Amino acid sequence: MPHHANMVSTRDRSRSRRRTSKFFRRRATRATQLPLQAPRLRLMMVWGLLLFSMVGLTVQLAQLQLEEGPELLAMAREQQKIYSVSRAARRPVIDSQGNVVAVDRMVYTLFVHPSMFNQPLPEVASQLSSLVEIEPTALLEQFGQQETGIRVAGNLSEETAKRIRGLQLDGIDLLPAQQRLYPHQELLAQVVGYIDYDGTAQAGLEYSYQDQLLYEEPDQTPGLAGLPPVVAKDDQSLQLTIDSRLQRVAQRNLASTLAQHRAKRGTVLVMDSASGEILAMAVSPTYDPNRYYDADVEQFKNWAVSDLYEPGSTFKPINIAIALEAGVINPDDQLYDEGRIPYEGWTIQNSDFSVSGGHGTISITDVLRYSSNVGMVHIMEGMDREAYYSALEALGLGQETGVDLPAETAGQLKDRSEFVSKGIEAATTAFGQGFSLTPMQMLQLQATLANGGKLVTPHVVRGLVNQAGELTWQPQRPAPKQVFDPSVSQQVLEMMEAVVKDGTGKPAQISGYRIAGKTGTAQKANEFGQYGNQRITSFVSIVPVDDPRYVVLAVIDEPQGDNAYGSTVAAPLVKSVIESLLVFERVPPQGS
């Protein structure tokens, strides 16, 4: 038994050892397998996270590029860029005396880069403040907008730029650019016009003569990015026929007249009747072309060439010349002035009828002297309406004068059939109403009475001249057109002299000189063609009568007051301009 028991026990122990050995082998196998599986799982988790992140980044990048990209790009460029407007270089403009009225100059735009400052922001702001005329606090506010590329100030002069450079500050850029300067400011604004910020001509001669003003197309020199292009400049200037001295007198006295009579606007024009040269063209209200952005848009318009008005009695000398040329009257004829007459359902009367009544039997000269409407109707009644209309057309009514300024408006004349069929149209035209023209065309027509009956083309540009004053280019203009016989012009001129001697033009008298003239006071028609209480007053003068050459016209729109007439408003203004004209042109008194 013991032996058997021992045998069993030994067998059992053997089995137990085998079972234990297998158990530990399995545990060992599991132990060796676990370390191999854990890194693989972790690796898969990392790759998953990376893949998820990449997908998220891709989606976000796509959103930034496709949806927000343009806006972000614009913001980035706004921070980085420095503004530079490339303006084409232009030749100077000078007046008839060689005085500069428009010229290019170099100006600078200041940019700062706060991230590059080597001094505290307040110190930089303090040093720049007085030079750019901006308060230090305002500069500090600008400095805080972004780290670089901040535009602080523009249009800085060469001297200011030099002083800024002298500060030796880091993070400062001064960008040069061409700018147009008008030294006389408001004086010739409506004539010369202006150049806007982009370098584009917007009005006046800057616009109509830009082919002559612009230098040849420049080539950008490599390596000089941001600097103005180098151009092959010459010594030529565009010379005007306008004398700045006379222009200043006309502009100053015009402004005074408008203020005195509380008028809406006005113009004074002076012309050499032989050549058509405009010696002065004052327009008010006006503006400073250096600061065109502060002006009212309406002020950019040169209404002396762009706006129409009914001339009234200043047109009577032209009608008398038409009648004399046609042979329907003679200078020594007489007619009867009733003072007021009925006409095809209308009543036509003289402006002084309520005071003077009819003038009775008067001469043709008296018709102008007293500015008789009734007398003018009787004169033009003797002319065939078809012939009358053709004569008006031959003078250029309904057409442009061809003046070398932009935006000219052609005059308006009634349709021929209406004019011929309705006597009232011819009757009102006889005393200067029922049709319209520009002040420039009125000046052109009056010049025919001073130059022997020739219709010349008015102009403000002489041509391109070099430094020696020699013409290198001149505009081509139509040859003068003979519209009146010289004897007719002389006869009418002598009648106009009587107007200044002892007629409505007496306020224009100048001691020692023979002055011819004609007043005009016309009712203004509203947009419906009805005449109201507002007036447009004018006066035209030709000097000197013994050697007629210069024509001076003043037109004042809507002067206020009961005593606002051509004789009281416009004639004194013309006189003040003529007095300076005679001095500047060295016209001696009669008999000296």
Side-chain angles (χ1 to χ4, degrees), residues 6 15 72 154 158 205 234 252 268 300 306 318-319 360 405 437 466 478 504 506 544 562:
N6 188 48
R15 283 197 199 101
L72 293 172
E158 188 85 49
L205 299 176
D234 52 43
R252 182 176 61 245
V268 177
F300 297 147
S306 64
I318 304 299
N319 274 327
L405 287 166
L437 40 64
N466 56 25
T504 58
K506 289 173 70 174
D562 296 333

Side-chain angles (χ1 to χ4, degrees), residues 25-87:
R25 280 199 301 272
R26 287 197 298 269
R27 292 290 300 270
T29 302
R30 289 195 192 100
T32 56
Q33 287 176 347
L34 283 174
L36 291 175
Q37 291 175 352
R40 184 179 302 168
L41 181 60
R42 285 198 295 270
L43 183 62
M44 290 177 66
M45 290 176 64
V46 169
W47 275 106
L49 286 172
L50 287 174
L51 183 62
F52 180 78
S53 299
M54 291 176 63
V55 170
L57 288 172
T58 302
V59 170
Q60 188 174 8
L61 182 61
Q63 182 180 5
L64 289 173
Q65 288 184 332
L66 299 177
E67 295 183 12
E68 302 178 29
E71 182 179 355
L72 293 172
L73 181 61
M75 291 172 62
R77 287 177 175 172
E78 190 70 22
Q79 291 180 354
Q80 298 169 5
K81 72 182 179 182
I82 292 180
Y83 295 91
S84 175
V85 177
S86 178
R87 294 189 177 105

Side-chain angles (χ1 to χ4, degrees), residues 69-141:
E71 182 179 355
L72 293 172
L73 181 61
M75 291 172 62
R77 287 177 175 172
E78 190 70 22
Q79 291 180 354
Q80 298 169 5
K81 72 182 179 182
I82 292 180
Y83 295 91
S84 175
V85 177
S86 178
R87 294 189 177 105
R90 302 170 78 89
R91 294 184 174 92
V93 179
I94 59 176
D95 75 350
S96 63
Q97 305 301 306
N99 300 306
V100 174
V101 298
V103 66
D104 280 0
R105 68 169 177 174
M106 193 66 73
V107 295
Y108 295 82
T109 301
L110 173 64
F111 289 87
V112 299
H113 312 281
S115 62
M116 301 172 63
F117 287 171
N118 58 353
Q119 297 181 27
L121 298 184
E123 289 187 21
V124 177
S126 176
Q127 293 182 68
L128 290 176
S129 176
S130 62
L131 297 178
V132 297
E133 298 181 355
I134 300 176
E135 291 295 325
T137 53
L139 285 175
L140 283 172
E141 186 178 342

Side-chain angles (χ1 to χ4, degrees), residues 161-179:
K162 183 178 178 181
R163 294 173 66 185
I164 291 174
R165 291 192 191 98
L167 298 175
Q168 296 184 342
L169 297 170
D170 286 348
I172 297 292
D173 275 329
L174 285 163
L175 186 68
Q178 298 265 33
Q179 187 189 62

